[in-house]
Amino acid sequence: MAHHFRKDMVIYQIYPRSFQDSNGDGLGDIPGIISRLDYLQSLGIDTIWLSPVYKSPNADNGYDIADYKAIQPAFGTMEDFDNLVAQAKARGIGIVMDLVINHTSDEHEWFQKALAGDEKYKDYYIIRKGKDGKLPNNWGNFFAMCPWSKFGDSQDEYYLHLFAEKQPDLNWHNPAVLEEVKDIMRFWLQKGVVGFRCDVINILYKNTLENGKKQLALTGREHYLSTPGCHQILKTLRKEVLDEFNAFAVGETVFVTLDQAGDLCNEDRGELDMVFSFEHMGCDDLGLKWFKTRLSPKRLMKTLVKWQTGLAWNTNYFENHDQPRFISRFADSDGFRREASTMMAGLTMTLRGTPFIHEGQEIGMTNGNFRCLKQIQDIESHTVNEMAKSLGIPAKMRWNMIRRGTRDNGRMPMQWTDGPNAGFTTGKPWLKINGDYKEVNVAKEQLDPDGVLNFWKQMITLRKTDEALIDGDFVPVMVSNNIFAFERVLNGRRLLSLCNMTGKAVKLPAHLQSWDKKIIGNYTTGTAEYLQPFEFRLMEESGE
Ligand code: TEU
């Protein structure tokens, strides 16, 4: 493959606000990240995906960009950024930027000019007249609010925003928007970034603004998910920008189906290198992430098998800044934090595709023990709470939904030490520190050869060096209520990945006991017949 995309990459996501503060203002920053590059190098990762660091009023923590070519002052300067790229590169680490181009901030110059009446910039956004005193259409919004807001002082004009009010959607029917984005991408590629994580990239191009068919959430989505216009834009960006710099692109693709994903990352079409799918993230909900049930390991395994066998290349992620911590989703993992986390390390690194680690996952960070809505910062939690309130859902039930589902669960400050504020900041952290930081922190893990961190390290090294793990075929072997078994096969060499996805010991069928060579596992004791709670083993036939 011609570009920076490599099959042996292991990518680490940094949510800059929450990674490391260097100046005591309670917010993580770029100098903080630089100070932790040695740690990341020792972890063995080779690529960092940086959630947005651009100038932003932070209505959605940087996913509302006010200036695509400036660094958020609280995160540092452009010089700091250049320094980060250089210092990372010196350690063999590439930087991937978050490209948020479905919408800008309403504080972006373009939107401001549009508001001032400049027709050129009005056409950068999706502005429509209401219909007989009603909204332009019946669409839904990702944050459970109304997707249409009044455009400035206009009496009858509205602008479309599929996310927050402060995130107006760009008009991708306008070729000038494409030109602007190409220019922005080149700006960062010239600085040496190796690729982009493309935010909600499959919703860019709205086919029409007609009413959609009524849905539980996001009515209207059939008019903008993976449209031909979107494919065309991606092809252009690939050919005219990414290829020029050998850069790669991973798309965040909401609601994506297997077929759509296959098209979006079909090498011959030349669009994206890989996509984040969402189906496996829903294995503990009833169709909407706010209505959580017990996680069904079987449903999870079946979904993984579907995507592993259905796509040539996957992204293997179980956490990010929008998701609750995965080990907290296994209802029975409480007493097995180490085991559940290391099993997930084993699973993440042995599935076929590019593994993604979300900051803190490598030390087994858990959901926050939030006690009330006031402790939660995320805009989505608040808008969803309002919507639920308007539907008459009682306060206690609302809180239960939000406590489990809030994106802040995955955004709590990184736990470095057992000292004040977990070593994240000397000031007041922007979001509360998880109460378990004395138990769960990097410093403690670094002293424990049998700990969570060291296991992740070993799995990363293995993933980066074993050809069968890098490029072997995925062959499903067993999906039961608790056992997930699959092979990775390359040139006749066979590896068997065995995971107990529950907190109960389980007997292995005879044919899975006979593999005699253990490459690695998260237990040092035990027998071939049983998998212990959340046990993971990687086996090989010794051929003797
Ligand atoms: O997220 C898109 C998205 O649809 C969801 O994952 C989102 O987190 C929400 O929970 C829907 O219920 C991306 C970013 O990852 C997210 O942080 C941003 O808020 C969003 O786009 C808008 O830019």
Side-chain angles (χ1 to χ4, degrees):
M1 216 171 280
H3 29 98
H4 271 309
F5 171 83
R6 299 188 332 263
K7 285 187 168 168
D8 66 353
M9 283 192 295
V10 176
I11 304 185
Y12 186 91
Q13 180 190 2
I14 290 184
Y15 196 64
R17 279 177 97 74
S18 302
F19 193 60
Q20 176 71 68
D21 182 16
S22 74
N23 61 0
D25 66 356
L27 286 171
D29 48 40
I30 295 174
I33 298 173
I34 294 173
S35 74
R36 294 298 183 180
L37 284 174
D38 287 339
Y39 166 76
L40 294 173
Q41 185 180 22
S42 76
L43 185 59
I45 58 101
D46 50 72
T47 308
I48 293 171
W49 151 28
L50 266 192
S51 272
V53 291
Y54 317 93
K55 194 164 170 228
S56 163
N58 286 319
D60 187 18
N61 288 353
Y63 284 88
D64 48 322
I65 300 174
D67 185 346
Y68 287 88
K69 293 183 183 173
I71 298 292
Q72 177 73 355
F75 288 165
T77 62
M78 192 58 88
E79 211 185 323
D80 292 329
F81 180 85
D82 292 335
N83 198 3
L84 171 64
V85 173
Q87 299 238 21
K89 190 169 179 201
R91 292 169 177 81
I93 298 175
I95 302 286
V96 168
M97 292 298 265
D98 211 314
L99 189 70
V100 189
I101 54 175
N102 174 68
H103 42 266
T104 69
S105 163
D106 64 341
E107 295 182 31
H108 193 287
E109 193 187 0
W110 303 333
F111 197 75
Q112 289 301 315
K113 285 186 172 161
L115 280 175
D118 189 328
E119 289 301 325
K120 171 176 175 205
Y121 289 101
K122 261 182 103 171
D123 196 32
Y124 275 37
Y125 295 92
I126 303 173
I127 299 162
R128 289 292 182 282
K129 286 206 162 56
K131 279 191 195 148
D132 320 315
K134 287 198 302 209
L135 299 171
N137 66 25
N138 68 347
W139 290 12
N141 167 290
F142 282 81
F143 292 160
M145 46 202 303
C146 175
W148 294 101
S149 290
K150 277 268 159 73
F151 182 66
D153 300 328
S154 165
Q155 286 313 303
D156 57 348
E157 280 181 316
Y158 298 84
Y159 67 93
L160 177 74
H161 55 91
L162 290 178
F163 293 88
E165 211 167 304
K166 285 181 72 62
Q167 293 168 297
D169 280 45
L170 284 164
N171 171 21
W172 279 91
H173 288 248
N174 181 353
V177 169
L178 180 65
E179 290 311 310
E180 297 275 13
V181 168
K182 282 194 216 162
D183 177 58
I184 291 164
M185 290 171 76
R186 289 195 182 106
F187 175 86
W188 293 101
L189 289 165
Q190 270 151 8
K191 287 185 173 291
V193 315
V194 299
F196 295 98
R197 174 268 185 188
C198 311
D199 194 61
V200 288
I201 202 68
N202 60 331
I203 75 171
L204 290 191
Y205 190 91
K206 284 79 179 172
N207 259 345
T208 116
L209 292 173
E210 276 161 34
N211 281 343
K213 81 167 186 285
K214 281 253 167 20
Q215 314 241 26
L216 192 57
L218 290 162
T219 293
R221 67 192 194 220
E222 68 274 24
H223 295 320
Y224 55 75
L225 291 176
S226 294
T227 56
C230 178
H231 285 292
Q232 192 48 52
I233 293 162
L234 292 174
K235 281 198 181 87
T236 307
L237 294 180
R238 158 71 60 200
K239 222 163 88 201
E240 294 180 27
V241 185
L242 296 171
D243 276 353
E244 206 183 299
F245 291 86
N246 295 326
F248 80 90
V250 47
E252 186 210 26
T253 47
V254 287
F255 295 102
V256 77
T257 64
L258 196 52
D259 283 347
Q260 291 167 344
D263 284 347
L264 287 163
C265 45
N266 176 338
E267 223 184 305
D268 300 329
R269 294 171 62 115
E271 298 179 19
L272 298 165
D273 294 292
M274 49 188 165
V275 299
F276 292 117
S277 64
F278 281 74
E279 198 178 342
H280 67 299
M281 285 287 115
C283 291
D284 56 355
D285 71 41
L286 304 161
L288 266 190
K289 73 171 186 178
W290 301 104
F291 299 109
K292 291 241 182 289
T293 105
R294 207 185 156 82
L295 182 132
S296 158
K298 192 169 194 171
R299 194 168 149 201
L300 174 62
M301 295 181 239
K302 280 185 161 169
T303 310
L304 291 173
V305 168
K306 171 180 157 185
W307 285 82
Q308 286 281 311
T309 50
L311 267 191
W313 194 256
N314 275 277
T315 59
N316 299 316
Y317 80 95
F318 293 93
E319 295 185 7
N320 63 38
H321 65 294
D322 293 334
Q323 298 289 339
R325 293 288 182 180
F326 205 82
I327 54 174
S328 299
R329 293 176 162 203
F330 288 114
D332 48 0
S333 73
D334 291 3
F336 296 112
R337 193 185 61 84
R338 181 194 172 278
E339 291 74 13
S341 170
T342 48
M343 184 275 289
M344 290 309 293
L347 178 62
T348 307
M349 298 299 153
T350 56
L351 287 169
R352 179 178 163 84
T354 301
F356 285 79
I357 306 164
H358 180 50
E359 60 178 42
Q361 195 177 0
E362 77 279 20
I363 54 167
M365 277 178 63
T366 61
N367 276 354
N369 43 352
F370 294 107
R371 296 198 200 292
C372 61
L373 200 59
K374 266 205 257 98
Q375 290 182 331
I376 289 178
Q377 304 280 339
D378 183 22
I379 178 169
E380 185 196 46
S381 302
H382 291 276
T383 52
V384 163
N385 180 58
E386 286 307 313
M387 155 68 92
K389 206 169 164 178
S390 73
L391 291 174
I393 299 181
K396 200 166 163 209
M397 201 175 149
R398 293 201 308 269
W399 175 239
N400 265 328
M401 286 162 51
I402 290 182
R403 190 179 51 85
R404 284 181 79 180
T406 181
R407 303 191 296 183
D408 279 357
N409 280 315
R411 299 176 178 186
M412 304 189 85
M414 181 73 182
Q415 293 158 210
W416 296 104
T417 69
D418 65 1
N421 295 318
F424 164 68
T425 181
T426 54
K428 185 175 180 303
W430 73 278
L431 182 67
K432 113 192 222 312
I433 307 276
N434 195 320
D436 65 9
Y437 76 96
K438 291 215 188 272
E439 253 322 285
V440 183
N441 62 68
V442 171
K444 186 168 179 228
E445 287 293 336
Q446 283 174 328
L447 298 175
D448 182 3
D450 299 321
V452 174
L453 179 63
N454 196 42
F455 195 76
W456 274 92
K457 267 190 201 173
Q458 290 176 46
M459 284 310 307
I460 292 168
T461 307
L462 207 57
R463 171 65 182 74
K464 289 190 66 67
T465 48
D466 190 306
E467 288 299 329
L469 290 183
I470 295 170
D471 204 14
D473 289 335
F474 171 91
V475 183
V477 174
M478 180 174 178
V479 165
S480 73
N481 287 327
N482 19 41
I483 301 173
F484 190 21
F486 56 88
E487 288 184 23
R488 296 297 307 280
V489 182
L490 189 73
N491 303 329
R493 182 159 164 262
R494 294 164 63 197
L495 301 181
L496 175 70
S497 184
L498 281 175
C499 305
N500 179 355
M501 310 281 283
T502 71
K504 288 198 184 68
V506 52
K507 192 161 198 260
L508 278 171
H511 68 107
L512 296 183
Q513 294 177 22
S514 58
W515 294 62
D516 51 354
K517 194 173 146 203
K518 180 165 155 184
I519 299 178
I520 191 170
N522 63 348
Y523 276 82
T524 46
T525 55
T527 61
E529 291 93 71
Y530 283 90
L531 281 181
Q532 299 172 79
F534 294 108
E535 180 163 358
F536 161 78
R537 264 183 232 161
L538 185 64
M539 308 295 294
E540 185 180 1
E541 284 179 322
S542 65
E544 281 153 19

